[in-house]
Amino acid sequence: MSLADVPLLFVLAGLVFYIVLAGPDFGAAIWQLTARRDGRGDRLRDLGHEAMAPVWEANHVWLIFVLTVLWTAYPVAFGSIASTLSVPLFLAGLGIVVRGAAYALRAGTTGVGEARRIDMASALSSVLTPFALGAALGGIVSGRVPVGNAAGSLVTSWLNPTSVLTGLLAVVTSAYLAAVFLSADAVRMGDDDLAAPMRRRALGAGLVAGALSAAGLLVLREDAYPVFDGLVHGAGLPALMASAVAGVATLGLVVARRYEPARYTAAAAVAAIVAGWALAQQPELLPGLTIDDAAAPRATLVAVTIAVLGGGAIVFPSLVLLFRLTLGGTLRGGGAGAAEAVAPGPRALLGASRHGLLVRAAGACLIAGFGLLTVLDAGWAHALGVAVLLGFVLLGFLALLPAELWER
């Protein structure tokens, strides 16, 4: 593996996180539309909103991360993709905006009619976004995105057999992940009345996703044979088999009502299929454009690597904490009394989080400063490296201060 491959690994990891974490947000809106207009249906819709409320914006950080690393580390490939696939990418962005607006506006509805219209907009946008993103990915897989500014067709690049099937698979996968995750949420809340219908939805969507995946191999054989050959006979075969095993294991866990481990096997299935696609398509990013040819200059690749590792030292633990609090029910509304019971005061929160945050920030400065001073040769990089290391010293000093000084 060369330095040119490192940012691509970050992109693929970010793509997996986006599918696994943001996909269920879209899927939850789809299931909300199918819920009946009765007491249990209202509770199902409320369950979806409560599960998404703390993490909706955080999950889209991964999409921003993927785009940022891609355009910085592989600018030629990014320009070709963004111009040829501008239509589906625009539709996906529009769907994200509408989905977020519908989620925010639903809390202010004054009647059943308004709520239904907003739920409809939410569900339609939640179908549009994963389909458009999947269709764009299908255009890349099938080799319909040539190198150059808008060098490919604005229509057939994303409306073709591979793209359509990939888009449908993205929608069904989002619904499947949402059903699995919401089943686990319902069990954790002690509401078996909600877990049972979500379990049925999970099993149904899982079977459809499996059928579409099998059909996808047939489509790839006819429409994107190089990737099909890489998946079935090449380096992508182990990942394809791992995805199939994880998918079957997820269905088995859902049947056994083991929803928490099913979360992780479902995520593993997604990660394996993304890895399989990458292995099957390597070393090309686009037709005739290899990873090494598409990569930015070495100094840029080094800077991107340091920035991702340094930023991840701060951001990733914060996201882990967010999801731990969400899955533990701490962020779920429960009235003033519940808030007083589980939420410490501002000074206590500051004292509890100060040390970990400062240590991670100091570590990020140390990594970045070391990289800027030792890897890059430019004078500006050395000056910035000195400044960042001074930040490390300052943050390290603050991290060592007694907690009592921060609580006064």
Side-chain angles (χ1 to χ4, degrees):
M1 184 178 67
S2 66
L3 180 61
D5 297 318
V6 175
L8 186 59
L9 294 178
F10 294 148
V11 169
L12 293 173
L15 182 61
V16 170
F17 279 118
Y18 186 68
I19 296 172
V20 171
L21 299 177
D25 291 347
F26 295 114
I30 297 173
W31 293 129
Q32 285 175 332
L33 188 63
T34 65
R36 294 180 179 179
R37 294 290 169 178
D38 55 19
R40 190 170 72 172
D42 291 339
R43 285 159 53 212
L44 278 173
R45 282 184 285 274
D46 291 340
L47 173 65
H49 282 289
E50 288 181 7
M52 289 182 292
V55 297
W56 166 256
E57 295 296 340
N59 288 338
H60 288 287
V61 168
W62 295 110
L63 180 60
I64 298 171
F65 170 79
V66 167
L67 296 176
T68 302
V69 175
L70 186 60
W71 84 50
T72 305
Y74 311 99
V76 174
F78 179 84
S80 303
I81 293 169
S83 56
T84 294
L85 297 173
S86 57
V87 175
L89 293 177
F90 170 80
L91 293 175
L94 179 63
I96 291 173
V97 172
V98 173
R99 176 69 186 88
Y103 177 77
L105 293 175
R106 190 178 186 275
T109 57
T110 57
V112 175
E114 286 185 4
R116 287 180 178 177
R117 288 191 292 271
I118 289 178
D119 285 346
M120 178 64 73
S122 174
L124 292 178
S125 61
S126 295
V127 171
L128 175 65
T129 299
F131 178 83
L133 291 174
L137 183 59
I140 299 172
V141 172
S142 60
R144 289 182 169 88
V145 182
V147 178
N149 183 32
S153 170
L154 295 178
V155 178
T156 59
S157 61
W158 65 285
L159 290 178
N160 56 76
T162 301
S163 291
V164 171
L165 189 135
T166 306
L168 292 175
L169 184 59
V171 174
V172 174
T173 300
S174 296
Y176 174 48
L177 291 173
V180 174
F181 287 15
L182 290 176
S183 296
D185 291 337
V187 169
R188 189 173 55 254
M189 295 168 58
D191 197 335
D192 292 336
D193 250 2
L194 297 184
M198 293 314 304
R199 175 176 176 269
R200 291 193 295 270
R201 288 168 168 82
L203 292 174
L207 292 175
V208 174
L212 282 176
S213 298
L217 290 176
L218 299 178
V219 172
L220 287 177
R221 187 180 64 180
E222 301 298 327
D223 195 51
Y225 186 79
V227 175
F228 169 81
D229 185 61
L231 278 173
V232 176
H233 304 293
L237 179 59
L240 180 65
M241 296 174 62
S243 179
V245 171
V248 172
T250 303
L251 286 176
L253 289 169
V254 172
V255 170
R257 294 177 172 83
R258 300 283 304 281
Y259 303 118
E260 285 297 333
R263 289 180 186 267
Y264 303 107
T265 54
V270 171
I273 200 62
V274 171
W277 159 59
L279 291 170
Q281 189 163 322
Q282 68 169 341
E284 289 191 341
L285 278 179
L286 299 177
L289 183 69
T290 65
I291 298 173
D292 290 334
D293 294 336
R298 182 176 182 276
T300 302
L301 297 178
V302 171
V304 169
T305 302
I306 293 173
V308 171
L309 294 176
I314 299 174
V315 174
F316 195 78
S318 302
L319 292 174
V320 171
L321 176 61
L322 172 64
F323 283 102
R324 286 185 62 185
L325 293 174
T326 302
L327 294 177
T330 304
L331 300 183
R332 184 176 294 114
E340 292 175 1
V342 299
R347 290 186 178 181
L349 281 174
L350 178 61
S353 62
R354 172 192 64 87
H355 181 266
L357 179 60
L358 289 175
V359 168
R360 289 191 293 270
C365 288
L366 178 62
I367 294 171
F370 179 82
L372 289 168
L373 286 174
T374 60
V375 179
L376 301 182
D377 296 325
W380 64 265
H382 293 171
L384 183 58
V386 171
V388 171
L389 286 178
L390 289 175
F392 160 72
V393 173
L394 175 61
L395 292 171
F397 171 77
L398 294 175
L400 294 175
L401 288 177
E404 291 79 5
L405 294 179
W406 291 87
E407 297 173 1
R408 291 177 182 174

